[in-house]
Amino acid sequence: MDCLHAKIRENCYAANEFVTDLRASANTCLECDLLLRVVEEYTPGWLDARANGIGSLEGVILLDHWSRPGKVFLKEGPAGNFDGWRNSAKWFDGLQTVASFSFFRKAKEELVPERDNSLRRVVAWESLAVVEDSSLASAFDRAGKWLTHCVDHDEKCRIPNPSYMPRRLLNVGTWEPDREPFLFEPAVPVPYACLSYCWGADTTGVLTTTTRNLDAHYSAVPMLAMPMTVRDAVILCRGLKVDNIWVDSLCIVQDDATDWLQQSAEMRDIYANSHLTVAVLEPASCKLGFLGEQKFGKPDWQRECIINVPKEAGGPGSRVLLRPVEAKTEHNFKGDEDEDERCSLDTRGWCLQESLLPNRRLCFNGREMSWECLSRKTCECGHVLWTYRPDSYGRLGGEIKKGYEKAHWDRSSHRDWIRIVQEYSERSLTQGTDKLRAISGLAKMILDAPPRQSPARRFNFPMGLPPPPKPTIQSYAAGLWKDSFIPELAWIVKGFGPSLNNPICYLAPSWSWASVSGSVRFHDTSKGGMIRKYSPIRRMDCTLDGVVCETILASDPTGPVKSAHAILRGPLVSVDLAILDSTLSAIWDRKRDWHMADHPTRPHTSLVRGKGLQSIEVFLDRPREVSVYDRDPQGKCWIGKCVKGHQGCLLEGNGLDRTNAAGTDAKDLAYCLRLFTWETYTRKIQDQGRPAESDVRFLVLQRSPTDQAAFERIGLGNWHGGDSNMPLFSAAETSSVKIV
């Protein structure tokens, strides 16, 4: 029988073995022998106890090589279930984890590792000891070597516009350490760092540049007056020999609205052209600072022991570092252990573009330093941290940072923009008026993408349409792109967020995701699943006749807007809108179709219906009060088969001139505008000229309270059926509507 490491070498990324079998393998396999000696060092006596069956328990060792570095899990359980563990896909059921750790051969010099898939199954990775305190000269020396190596060797990480100059910079005084830092306006391009950090909930007493102290800051910005995070950034830049740094609180005049608007419009250039961005992942307050003791540098976290590492197992070397693995990664074999763990910086809306725009980032989180650039991502201990995470922000960051400066706007790039918006919507903003402003830099990055030369990815996306043209500055409209405007209207609010500050201020038109508070998800792709072997084709049911956006700053077309409207032409039908109470909502949930399972849950279900009186679920953009109760005569009618003739059930009219039935409140009158339909054909049914499966997306609208000639979006609906003849739109009229 193959030993544990033979299984790993045969493209098995995770393998397990009983202690008794592993001991037998160790007689012929140096890697197994090394593993046993490391296990004995980490948990003395456990191997002997489990091999001898003491206490009727047997031991199992799992070696996980899904991620770099590999992990070792020690498990034990009742001896009577041996065969079940060996043969079951859920072999760890019933087993208790005794210990989990990773081990490394200690490196003798600083490392700048490269991605090398040929090393994926090395047993003993080479690593460094984590510096105990990030404020020490040894930490600055390590970070400086990462930076120097990138500057000297990584062509793709060079700044895109070497001639760019921020309006103001803070000189940290590397050439004269005793002098206080000071603001200056560069006359020639100079290298500079950027600081990405959280201000924190309590900003009382935080030093900022204002119109009152601007002149004084040109002379000196006292170190002792700075918040700890900014002070630490100055100390770090001095240690790295970087003369200048850009800090928003000091380089933007905070009480000058014009200066704030102008500089926020340049965020894309400021961060993209930085020599280095210092990312303070933790703590969440600028008053606490980020330099100091590091958790992973403490002796109780990383243990150094002397174990001879044979050459065949990754040696030579005698010093081995042992590090624990957190319990939550125990059954996670795909390298995404941080998937559900967000640092404080990654909860802030402004910080998304600050993490995607720079080509180089030096990160601090209180555990260890880490480095990210377009060529590599490595943690302080020296092993590569590249992990592939489909549909996750971890992978999105790597793809976008490496992609858009040298990639292309095509259908996949459109999907990346949607992924950016979805990630952005998960984050918080203190000021609601920043909703479009804080993502403006990423929109500019999209605009800078050169046209695609290779058609390789052109036919890799089942859109049923040719790639849209490269966007221009005129094609951006309040968070959407005119070239894909109709599909990008198909967003829903995943979770209602807290109300933003300045709620009375205009944020965005109702058709934009930026108009709502809460996380959003786009449903522009097909949900058909019955006929997976056939690619769906999207048929546009609606056309865009025009979009008008007036931005606050005329020179910043991707910034916040003062007003906007879109004119759409398509099938329009008038409907009644009902918000069900909890009892009716629970009954409806039990009958919800399978294809709606991935839609967000709501405390109260929202339904629409037209003249056919067939109820269809929709997802509103904002919470609303219940309008239909279980005790109401129409209650059961909404969630079951309607008995025609009930008072208030019948609609009068169908188009824009529709009038409400007796007793119907104006707030319950709505309109549905059909956007597009995904159609799936099979060869047999296609010959008959009709699809076998259809998904219809439609907007839910109501009259604007400020302009009765216009409409406002209030939600999105999705209907799934066997063909595209959706009953709701059977009597629809093609109309031109203005949505504000």
Side-chain angles (χ1 to χ4, degrees):
M1 184 177 64
D2 289 339
C3 74
L4 187 66
H5 298 91
K7 296 175 184 177
I8 293 292
R9 285 190 293 269
E10 293 174 0
N11 295 320
C12 180
Y13 291 88
N16 61 283
E17 196 64 85
F18 295 100
V19 170
T20 50
D21 294 338
L22 190 61
R23 278 192 161 179
S25 301
N27 295 325
T28 57
C29 175
L30 291 174
E31 293 170 320
C32 290
D33 179 63
L34 170 63
L35 178 58
L36 285 176
R37 285 186 281 134
V38 171
V39 170
E40 179 62 27
E41 177 68 29
Y42 197 80
T43 54
W46 182 80
L47 288 172
D48 288 337
R50 296 291 76 82
N52 296 328
I54 297 177
S56 299
L57 295 176
E58 177 61 74
V60 177
I61 297 179
L62 165 68
L63 188 57
D64 164 29
H65 271 254
W66 268 107
S67 58
R68 297 181 64 172
K71 304 178 182 69
V72 179
F73 297 95
L74 309 183
K75 297 173 174 290
E76 61 185 24
N81 292 336
F82 291 168
D83 292 337
W85 298 342
R86 188 188 300 276
N87 299 323
S88 172
K90 296 182 179 180
W91 60 269
F92 44 76
D93 286 352
L95 297 180
Q96 179 182 357
T97 300
V98 176
S100 53
F101 62 91
S102 296
F103 66 99
F104 310 80
R105 178 169 60 87
K106 187 177 181 182
K108 297 180 180 178
E109 59 183 358
E110 296 287 337
L111 304 172
V112 182
E114 303 291 343
R115 286 180 56 187
D116 185 354
N117 291 332
S118 65
L119 297 178
R120 184 174 291 167
R121 294 173 185 82
V122 169
V123 176
W125 299 98
E126 191 174 55
S127 181
L128 299 168
V130 179
V131 177
E132 292 187 29
D133 192 313
S134 58
S135 64
L136 298 177
S138 56
F140 297 161
D141 180 63
R142 176 170 292 174
K145 289 181 178 179
W146 290 341
L147 175 60
T148 300
H149 181 90
C150 182
V151 171
D152 292 345
H153 297 90
D154 300 332
E155 182 69 28
K156 67 178 69 173
C157 297
R158 300 192 187 283
I159 60 176
N161 183 9
S163 63
Y164 175 75
M165 295 179 293
R167 183 171 182 179
R168 299 182 192 89
L169 289 170
L170 182 71
N171 185 287
V172 301
T174 57
W175 48 275
E176 192 177 348
D178 294 335
R179 179 174 179 177
E180 295 280 17
F182 61 91
L183 287 178
F184 74 102
E185 298 181 7
V188 296
V190 294
Y192 64 92
C194 280
L195 181 62
S196 178
Y197 66 109
C198 297
W199 283 46
D202 179 16
T203 58
T204 305
V206 171
L207 178 66
T208 61
T209 295
T210 64
T211 52
R212 297 182 61 181
N213 62 17
L214 177 60
D215 290 339
H217 281 185
Y218 280 126
S219 299
V221 182
M223 286 276 287
L224 293 179
M226 296 178 183
M228 284 294 296
T229 290
V230 179
R231 191 187 313 170
D232 283 351
V234 170
I235 295 172
L236 175 65
C237 285
R238 288 175 173 176
L240 297 177
K241 307 302 181 186
V242 177
D243 292 341
N244 310 296
I245 188 171
W246 188 90
V247 183
D248 58 354
S249 60
L250 296 178
C251 296
I252 299 177
V253 182
Q254 297 296 314
D255 60 351
D256 185 335
T258 301
D259 188 68
W260 207 97
L261 282 172
Q262 291 174 344
Q263 293 219 53
S264 65
E266 292 189 27
M267 289 296 182
R268 182 261 187 271
D269 292 319
I270 290 172
Y271 280 91
N273 293 297
S274 64
H275 185 64
L276 170 71
T277 289
V278 178
V280 184
L281 309 183
E282 299 290 352
S285 171
C286 66
K287 294 183 177 182
L288 300 178
F290 61 91
L291 295 180
E293 290 187 354
Q294 302 196 111
K295 175 183 175 182
F296 290 177
K298 295 181 178 180
D300 59 350
W301 186 84
Q302 61 176 6
R303 291 165 47 186
E304 183 175 334
C305 57
I306 299 177
I307 298 176
N308 182 45
V309 182
K311 183 178 181 180
E312 294 83 352
S318 59
R319 294 189 178 275
V320 172
L321 295 170
L322 301 177
R323 294 170 181 152
V325 172
E326 295 183 14
K328 68 185 182 67
T329 69
E330 178 178 328
H331 296 151
N332 197 346
F333 302 144
K334 296 185 179 180
D336 54 356
E337 55 265 25
D338 295 329
E339 188 70 21
D340 299 324
E341 182 180 326
R342 280 180 179 263
C343 63
S344 297
L345 194 70
D346 285 346
T347 64
R348 302 298 298 165
W350 273 103
C351 298
L352 176 60
Q353 62 181 11
E354 295 173 8
S355 65
L356 297 185
L357 291 172
N359 287 355
R360 307 183 185 105
R361 287 210 313 167
L362 177 61
C363 304
F364 294 82
N365 60 10
R367 298 181 298 183
E368 61 177 339
M369 298 186 299
S370 61
W371 173 266
E372 298 177 6
C373 66
L374 301 190
S375 300
R376 70 189 55 79
K377 176 180 177 180
T378 182
C379 68
E380 187 183 352
C381 59
H383 59 268
V384 175
L385 285 184
W386 285 111
T387 53
Y388 294 91
R389 307 174 185 174
D391 304 321
S392 75
Y393 173 62
R395 185 175 183 183
L396 171 65
E399 288 178 348
I400 300 301
K401 285 190 288 184
K402 289 192 296 182
Y404 271 108
E405 293 300 329
K406 303 182 183 299
H408 320 276
W409 175 262
D410 63 0
R411 290 171 298 193
S412 296
S413 303
H414 158 72
R415 296 301 306 158
D416 283 342
W417 173 252
I418 285 178
R419 292 171 67 192
I420 288 175
V421 171
Q422 290 180 161
E423 164 63 28
Y424 177 68
S425 70
E426 296 277 355
R427 298 169 176 237
S428 60
L429 289 167
T430 303
Q431 301 297 329
T433 51
D434 290 343
K435 198 69 178 285
L436 287 172
R437 185 179 291 120
I439 202 174
S440 171
L442 295 177
K444 292 182 175 70
M445 182 174 68
I446 295 286
L447 289 169
D448 289 342
R452 171 171 281 283
Q453 300 298 324
S454 170
R457 291 168 59 191
R458 235 174 240 182
F459 307 102
N460 225 6
F461 200 77
M463 300 280 274
L465 296 171
K470 181 183 183 297
T472 63
I473 197 66
Q474 292 80 21
S475 65
Y476 185 76
L480 282 70
W481 300 92
K482 297 177 185 178
D483 304 308
S484 50
F485 192 86
I486 302 299
E488 289 183 12
L489 289 173
W491 53 266
I492 61 175
V493 180
K494 178 184 175 184
F496 297 126
S499 298
L500 297 169
N501 289 351
N502 304 326
I504 62 174
C505 294
Y506 180 81
L507 302 181
S510 65
W511 42 260
S512 171
W513 52 265
S515 66
V516 299
S517 173
S519 58
V520 300
R521 288 293 178 269
F522 285 80
H523 282 243
D524 63 320
T525 55
S526 174
K527 297 301 177 187
M530 296 171 59
I531 314 173
R532 288 291 186 187
K533 62 184 293 186
Y534 300 102
S535 297
I537 298 173
R538 187 174 61 196
R539 189 193 73 212
M540 305 303 295
D541 301 316
C542 184
T543 59
L544 176 67
D545 289 348
V547 180
V548 176
C549 283
E550 183 182 2
T551 57
I552 294 177
L553 196 64
S555 59
D556 183 20
T558 62
V561 298
K562 292 191 291 186
S563 64
H565 70 265
I567 299 177
L568 303 179
R569 175 176 291 274
L572 183 76
V573 63
S574 56
V575 296
D576 278 338
L577 171 66
I579 315 300
L580 306 184
D581 68 0
S582 300
T583 301
L584 294 176
S585 295
I587 298 174
W588 179 268
D589 288 345
R590 290 196 292 269
K591 60 177 287 186
R592 178 183 281 121
D593 292 337
W594 63 269
H595 70 281
M596 302 290 280
D598 64 332
H599 284 153
T601 58
R602 295 282 193 267
H604 301 288
T605 300
S606 303
L607 302 177
V608 296
R609 64 181 182 184
K611 295 186 71 172
L613 300 178
Q614 179 186 13
S615 298
I616 298 175
E617 185 172 4
V618 296
F619 299 91
L620 300 185
D621 300 338
R622 293 173 178 83
R624 289 199 171 203
E625 294 182 358
V626 172
S627 61
V628 177
Y629 293 87
D630 180 47
R631 63 178 180 270
D632 295 340
Q634 295 185 59
K636 298 294 190 298
C637 190
W638 271 98
I639 62 174
K641 184 176 181 180
C642 181
V643 180
K644 295 184 179 180
H646 280 189
Q647 183 181 10
C649 286
L650 299 181
L651 304 182
E652 300 176 7
N654 191 60
L656 293 174
D657 59 346
R658 181 267 176 103
T659 58
N660 59 302
T664 303
D665 197 314
K667 70 177 183 299
D668 299 328
L669 301 181
Y671 299 84
C672 292
L673 178 68
R674 187 162 174 164
L675 295 177
F676 56 86
T677 304
W678 281 104
E679 299 177 336
T680 304
Y681 293 88
T682 64
R683 292 186 181 92
K684 180 178 179 181
I685 299 180
Q686 188 177 27
D687 294 338
Q688 301 175 8
R690 62 185 180 87
E693 191 175 65
S694 299
D695 285 298
V696 179
R697 306 292 191 276
F698 58 92
L699 288 182
V700 185
L701 309 172
Q702 282 192 327
R703 295 279 186 182
S704 171
T706 58
D707 182 0
Q708 283 297 303
F711 294 83
E712 291 184 2
R713 170 191 163 133
I714 63 170
L716 182 80
N718 173 48
W719 177 83
H720 179 86
D723 56 46
S724 57
N725 296 320
M726 182 180 179
L728 180 65
F729 291 96
S730 59
E733 301 173 355
T734 299
S735 305
S736 179
V737 296
K738 176 183 178 181
I739 309 177
V740 295

